[in-house]
Amino acid sequence: MFTSHDGLWGIGELAARAGVGVKTVRFYSDGGLLPEAARSVGGHRRYGPGSLERLRMIRSLRAMDLPVSAVRRVLDEDDGEDTAGRVGGALEDAVAGQLRTLGSQLRALRWREAALRSVQECPPAERPARLLLVGAVTSPPDTAPLARFWRGWLPPRMPARSVTAFLEVAVPQPPEDPDPGQVLAFAQLYAMVSRPCDGSAGQPQPHAHRAAGARESAILYAGLAEAYGLAATEMRRDGEPCPGEALDGFVDAYASARTTADTPDFRRTLSRQLAGDPRIDRYWELTAELTGLPEPTPGAAHEWLCAALDADTGTTLPA
């Protein structure tokens, strides 16, 4: 209860009842979060009914690390000054935003812990190199470098919708709670895409991409996606690479993109061209390690189809 004759508390009495320091009360008052009811003749701050409950609310909100701006919105809503039109909306938004922030922080901590374990668990002689490798990756990791790598690999005039669809498959999403092996796999992926594939100044592209326009590249990748799906089905059955529906769709994708017919001569030419294309097998191996999924990757499906084409044409792909 108030003990003064005017029913108001001084700043020291309010601070004592709330269990905080006078500087804390002054800080919130100066910031407009804890309005004064009046000033004494001597200019001292005086606080009226509701100040103690309001101060406790401020402390509770700040204890959850809510920023002052969010605290202000919650208090304004309680005062009936919020214009959002939702009862409790400011508090709901503040809590949801803080949960998102904490989720990101926890994810970063889990990645950092797994990265440190990756360094700790490798042989002592390898630890400096491992530290440089995993330390180059942010926590949580950013997949933008992987997307940039593929944008440089894909045909330059490929439609944006087709690029987006391909990136959704080709760019693996890092797990929320990784183990040391997954952190290492992502770090190796990051190192791989951060430099040209062949060590030269430019990034090589598959032969099929070099003259492809928007329409041709869209046809090619739509057909390849379907062929990869059919090949993946065969791979799950442990089927050996062989001619069939998957290979026919694979060849047809290239033939349609080039507006030519699927003939034995075309298949032999395609086989030679694919054999000479730059290979990024390691990318798909690391992707499988990172995701931990048994599903065949697009890269594995591509290799299966190339082997099937090799068997069909009687040629030999380089090892």
Side-chain angles (χ1 to χ4, degrees), residues 78-272:
D78 284 346
D79 293 339
E81 299 176 8
D82 183 73
T83 58
R86 290 185 301 150
V87 177
L91 180 58
E92 178 184 344
D93 292 344
V95 171
Q98 191 65 3
L99 285 173
R100 286 192 297 270
T101 299
L102 286 174
S104 180
Q105 292 172 347
L106 288 171
R107 185 172 176 233
L109 287 173
R110 288 193 290 266
W111 269 84
R112 199 170 302 158
E113 179 187 24
L116 289 171
R117 290 190 181 280
S118 173
V119 175
Q120 183 184 53
E121 293 171 3
C122 74
E126 298 176 13
R127 285 174 185 163
R130 177 69 58 84
L131 180 61
L132 289 175
L133 182 66
V134 300
V137 179
T138 60
S139 298
D142 182 10
T143 59
L146 277 64
R148 284 196 297 270
F149 168 82
W150 282 112
R151 290 183 186 279
W153 177 276
L154 294 170
R157 293 172 294 279
M158 189 168 174
R161 182 182 299 177
S162 299
V163 172
T164 299
F166 181 85
L167 293 179
E168 288 178 356
V169 176
V171 177
Q173 294 305 307
E176 295 286 334
D177 189 8
D179 59 41
Q182 290 172 312
V183 169
L184 178 59
F186 188 90
Q188 290 171 324
L189 266 179
Y190 180 87
M192 176 182 177
V193 303
S194 298
R195 59 178 181 270
C197 297
D198 61 354
S200 66
Q203 180 173 297
Q205 285 187 322
H207 184 277
H209 296 179
R210 294 171 192 165
R215 176 180 176 278
E216 292 80 8
S217 59
I219 291 172
L220 173 62
Y221 273 85
L224 288 180
E226 185 175 350
Y228 291 163
L230 293 171
T233 299
E234 294 296 328
M235 294 170 72
R236 293 188 201 99
R237 299 171 182 163
D238 295 325
E240 292 294 324
C242 62
E245 183 181 6
L247 178 60
D248 290 345
F250 182 65
V251 175
D252 183 66
Y254 285 98
S256 297
R258 302 180 191 185
T259 62
T260 190
D262 176 2
T263 66
D265 283 343
F266 176 78
R267 291 195 175 207
R268 284 190 289 269
T269 299
L270 179 62
S271 179
R272 288 193 298 270

